């Protein structure tokens, strides 16, 4: 097969994933646990972190997902070792896609599982250490006309806006110039994989 859709880096992280939680590591001494995804869609992610003095010292993960989810989480697990939790919290799917040398456009939504599970794990650690809510995920503006972010769309999705019409009714997105529709629809598709 000569026309792979994936970069050599993606292929390497898919065929040789780093920091995967192995069966004999079921007692991995994690300080933090994050889990996200929707097993009905086939995409689910577990992230376990060891944290010392707010620095991630080790990580293990397990996923039920495609090659893109495996490769992006493997890359993420390498990136965050030795990183302060506040810096790791800011990692976005675009950062992973760039580090992997790109992903096919229709597979970008698979790269969100790892970073969401990572933030869940960090939130878990902060809650366990009496600092719940200390870090907040920054939103990316999707609709410039109305200032609607990906976080606004995610909140609307969690409140039942699962179609474009429902999202538009909930947020008024796309009622200005309309140039945000494609990106918002792509985000809705990704959220379906995460939340079902």
């Amino acid at each position: 097969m000569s026309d792979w859709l994936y970069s050599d880096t993606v292929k390497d992280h898919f065929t040789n994933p780093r920091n995967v939680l192995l069966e004999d590591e079921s007692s991995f001494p994690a300080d933090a646990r994050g889990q996200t995804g929707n097993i009905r869609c086939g995409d689910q992610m577990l992230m376990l972190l060891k944290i010392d003095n707010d620095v991630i010292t080790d990580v293990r993960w397990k996923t039920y997902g495609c090659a893109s989810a495996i490769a992006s989480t493997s890359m993420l697990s390498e990136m965050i070792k030795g990183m302060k939790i506040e810096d790791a919290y800011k990692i976005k799917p675009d950062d992973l896609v760039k580090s992997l040398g790109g992903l096919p456009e229709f597979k970008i939504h698979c790269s969100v599982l790892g970073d969401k599970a990572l933030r869940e794990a960090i939130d878990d650690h902060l809650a366990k250490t009496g600092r719940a809510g200390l870090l907040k995920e920054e939103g990316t503006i999707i609709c410039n006309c109305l200032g609607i972010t990906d976080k606004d769309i995610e909140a609307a999705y969690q409140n039942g806006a699962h179609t474009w019409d429902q999202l538009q009714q909930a947020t008024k997105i796309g009622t200005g110039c309309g140039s945000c529709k494609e990106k918002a629809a792509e985000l809705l598709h990704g959220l379906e994989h995460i939340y079902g």
Side-chain angles (χ1 to χ4, degrees):
M1 179 172 239
S2 60
D3 294 333
W4 280 85
L5 293 174
Y6 298 106
S7 70
D8 288 339
T9 305
V10 172
K11 288 186 279 185
D12 179 42
H13 276 274
F14 171 65
T15 57
N16 302 297
R18 283 67 154 179
N19 306 302
V20 175
L21 180 66
L22 303 174
E23 292 303 320
D24 62 350
E25 290 183 305
S26 59
S27 62
F28 180 76
D31 299 305
R33 173 189 175 93
Q35 188 166 333
T36 191
N38 177 5
I39 198 66
R40 288 176 294 179
C41 291
D43 296 322
Q44 193 170 41
M45 179 72 61
L46 169 67
M47 176 90 47
L48 303 172
L49 304 176
K50 287 176 82 173
I51 299 171
D52 183 31
N53 223 12
D54 283 351
V55 173
I56 299 169
T57 59
D58 206 357
V59 58
R60 292 291 183 276
W61 59 274
K62 184 176 265 190
T63 190
Y64 297 100
C66 66
S68 297
I70 291 168
S72 61
T73 308
S74 174
M75 175 62 81
L76 176 65
S77 72
E78 288 290 283
M79 290 171 67
I80 62 174
K81 279 187 182 178
M83 190 178 276
K84 292 189 138 309
I85 59 172
E86 59 264 23
D87 294 329
Y89 205 87
K90 295 174 187 172
I91 294 175
K92 299 284 185 213
D94 286 348
D95 300 324
L96 297 172
V97 171
K98 286 177 191 164
S99 296
L100 289 167
L103 284 173
E105 196 64 35
F106 62 93
K107 286 297 192 177
I108 301 282
H109 70 272
C110 300
S111 66
V112 303
L113 286 175
D115 74 294
K116 285 198 170 302
L118 171 63
R119 280 191 290 280
E120 290 262 337
I122 293 171
D123 287 341
D124 178 55
H125 174 71
L126 291 171
K128 287 177 180 174
T129 57
R131 301 177 289 163
L134 179 67
L135 298 175
K136 299 284 184 216
E137 187 177 358
E138 296 175 19
T140 301
I141 292 183
I142 303 296
C143 175
N144 288 312
C145 296
L146 299 176
I148 297 170
T149 69
D150 57 340
K151 299 297 144 218
D152 299 324
I153 294 171
E154 185 172 4
Y157 187 93
Q158 289 175 316
N159 287 320
H162 297 170
T163 67
W164 173 255
D165 290 337
Q166 291 169 338
L167 180 64
Q168 202 168 39
Q169 187 174 15
T171 65
K172 306 302 180 229
I173 193 168
T175 56
C177 74
S179 65
C180 59
K181 184 173 182 175
E182 185 177 330
K183 193 161 190 162
E186 185 179 302
L187 182 57
L188 273 178
H189 177 71
L191 291 169
E192 181 181 352
H193 282 277
I194 295 170
Y195 299 112

